[in-house]
Amino acid sequence: MTRAQWQVLTTVSAGTALLLLDVTVVNVALPAIADDLGADFAQVQWVIDAYALTLATTLLTAGVLADRLGRRRVFVWGLLAFVATSVVCALAPDATTLDLARGAQGIGAAAMFATSLPLLADAFGPERRGFALAVWGAVTGAALALGPVVGGLLVDGPGWRWVFWLNVPVGLLLVRATLRVVAESRDPRPRRPDLPGMVLFGAAAFALTLGLVRAHADGWGAPTVVGALLAAGALAVLFVLAERRHPDPMLPPALFRVPAFTGTLVVAFAQSLALYPLFLYLAIYLQDVLGHGPTGTGLRLLPLTLVLFAVAPLSGRLTGRLPLRVPLVAGLLLIALAQLLLRAVEPGSGWEVLLPGLVVGGLAIGVISPALAAAMVAVLPPERAGLASGVTNTFRQLGIATGIAALGVLFSDRVAGAPDPATGVVDGLDAIFLAATVVALAGAALAWPLLRGLRVSAASA
């Protein structure tokens, strides 16, 4: 691999890591944010969900625009928007401003995320493309897992606002590097933007998340909750109808007739819903119940990241030797096992009781991440690999946003109904661990038959 290719891989992977770090970096900062801004639990949930939702709902449209306007150009625009909105987040005087800025930040992140794989595919020939994508896949998993550690160090150091200030110098350095080392590329036959699809998809996802977030505070029978959930269903139906009529739909319904494509989306959604939201609730337990500071919390979640780093390269080497459904489904089963091990938490437990579950959770991400990156480019013909990866990443972010909201209902109900807050937090954790176990097992059962026959060559892996 040439020096120029290494520079492109480093720059694009670093940009992807920066935007994904911001998915989980705020988890350990939420208690400090809530105290400083006087926000309730529902408001701080949106600090995560607003970002994940806008990232998910604008990612495919950003990819279409990049194919037409230039991928490097859109990547740079995304970086600049990400930096600008990070400044607004850092200066936010209240929770509403922070939530809105996080939503805008997700749009910049979507522009970066949508163009990362196409830029790598353009820079690497077929013989080295598999290696580049494997590195990128490992970086995405590691960035999400490292978020709590980085967030803890920043909150205990200069303060929670530096979670966002840090993006400014790093983002500007990446802008300079991108302009210097990344070549411009376009699709010679770009698709037309699907703005109706983007609006309907985004509105449906927002309505669903809003209904779930408000369910605890207002009750399942409240007009706000019922109305939001009914609106989500109606908007989803309109989205499907609009996609069937659009000449270049952002999410072509015909793709779901490809079993392996659907199976890949099931894995992406299930693993994101069942595992990544738990960083938030484990951070609450470690800080509010066990009394550890943000840095101590991040360090106690570090075993998951260390296992991930150790396992991902080994898993990547096996990806080309096995059918892809083996590591993908095995990863979901390991997530289910991790959740069951985490259910050992009881009132009075020390943090060490989390270790077995965290180790198995890191093993699960290490097994899934390289295989999922390979599946993104193997599930459809090469000319549609960009679309496949975009849809897969959309479902990953939807899984995180939906998981934060849905598991938050279970958690909040247990905490509010308990006479002792610490006991309530433990009961809430047990409820979401059980729910996440069911999601992971259901995902594994659905994905196994759908992914039959999907594999990549050993050379590509």
Side-chain angles (χ1 to χ4, degrees):
M1 194 161 65
T2 66
R3 182 169 180 266
Q5 287 177 320
W6 272 114
Q7 290 175 329
V8 172
L9 179 58
T10 301
T11 301
V12 173
S13 296
T16 307
L18 183 67
L19 72 92
L20 288 177
L21 198 67
D22 262 47
V23 176
T24 56
V25 73
V26 298
N27 285 336
V28 298
L30 289 185
I33 292 172
D35 289 343
D36 189 29
L37 301 182
D40 59 26
F41 184 66
Q43 288 175 311
V44 294
Q45 276 182 291
W46 282 109
V47 175
I48 301 174
D49 275 347
Y51 180 79
L53 280 177
T54 54
L55 199 167
T57 56
T58 59
L59 192 149
L60 291 172
T61 300
V64 173
L65 291 174
D67 288 344
R68 183 178 296 272
L69 301 175
R71 291 156 182 158
R72 185 184 72 165
R73 176 182 296 177
V74 171
F75 187 82
V76 170
W77 287 352
L79 273 168
L80 291 173
F82 189 82
V83 168
T85 51
S86 293
V87 172
V88 179
C89 290
L91 297 173
D94 52 57
T96 300
T97 303
L98 179 59
D99 291 341
L100 291 173
R102 283 284 283 174
Q105 190 184 36
I107 298 174
M112 297 155 60
F113 211 1
T115 51
S116 57
L117 281 179
L119 286 172
L120 291 179
D122 185 67
F124 291 83
E127 71 283 353
R128 302 300 297 170
R129 190 172 296 155
F131 171 78
L133 297 181
V135 172
W136 181 89
V139 167
T140 61
L144 288 166
L146 275 172
V149 180
V150 176
L153 292 170
L154 291 171
V155 174
D156 268 342
W160 69 264
R161 295 181 186 273
W162 277 89
V163 166
F164 304 108
W165 281 125
L166 182 65
N167 295 331
V168 178
V170 176
L172 293 176
L173 285 173
L174 288 174
V175 168
R176 182 173 181 270
T178 302
L179 293 174
R180 290 184 60 188
V181 306
V182 179
E184 184 62 279
S185 67
R186 293 178 175 83
D187 190 332
R189 292 179 295 177
R191 295 182 296 140
R192 282 173 283 185
D194 178 14
L195 295 180
M198 183 189 74
V199 171
L200 289 170
F201 185 71
F206 175 79
L208 174 62
T209 305
L210 177 63
L212 293 173
V213 168
R214 297 305 308 172
H216 168 69
D218 300 345
W220 287 103
T224 52
V225 175
V226 174
L229 296 179
L230 289 175
L235 289 164
V237 171
L238 291 175
F239 170 71
V240 172
L241 295 175
E243 295 300 273
R244 296 174 73 92
R245 295 175 61 87
H246 197 279
D248 284 320
M250 60 178 274
L251 187 56
L255 291 182
F256 290 93
R257 298 174 193 161
V258 181
F261 176 80
T262 304
T264 301
L265 298 186
V266 168
V267 173
F269 183 82
Q271 68 120 5
S272 293
L273 191 156
L275 190 60
Y276 290 118
L278 298 186
F279 286 122
L280 167 61
Y281 301 104
L282 288 174
I284 292 173
Y285 168 71
L286 288 167
Q287 292 188 63
D288 292 353
V289 176
L290 298 187
H292 299 295
T295 300
T297 295
L299 291 175
R300 284 167 175 80
L301 296 175
L302 190 59
L304 184 148
T305 307
L306 296 177
V307 174
L308 161 64
F309 279 135
V311 171
L314 301 175
S315 175
R317 293 178 185 177
L318 293 175
T319 297
R321 303 177 186 178
L322 298 169
L324 283 176
R325 70 174 178 174
V326 174
L328 291 175
V329 172
L332 288 178
L333 294 176
L334 287 169
I335 289 176
L337 176 59
Q339 309 294 345
L340 293 175
L341 292 171
L342 289 170
R343 293 189 72 199
V345 175
E346 296 179 351
S349 296
W351 79 273
E352 296 85 358
V353 75
L354 300 174
L355 274 175
L358 292 175
V359 169
V360 176
L363 177 63
I365 303 176
V367 168
I368 284 182
S369 292
L372 192 58
M376 288 181 194
V377 295
V379 72
L380 293 179
E383 64 272 14
R384 309 200 80 182
L387 175 62
S389 64
V391 175
T392 304
N393 285 322
T394 294
F395 272 69
R396 289 172 75 178
Q397 299 307 315
L398 281 178
I400 292 174
T402 306
I404 291 290
L407 297 177
V409 177
L410 295 175
F411 184 80
S412 299
D413 286 347
R414 299 303 192 282
V415 174
D420 174 49
T423 302
V425 170
V426 172
D427 289 344
L429 286 177
D430 187 71
I432 62 176
F433 291 152
L434 182 59
T437 301
V438 172
V439 169
L441 291 176
L446 288 171
W448 180 258
L450 291 170
L451 294 170
R452 182 183 295 112
L454 179 64
R455 64 188 308 149
V456 293
S457 67
S460 295

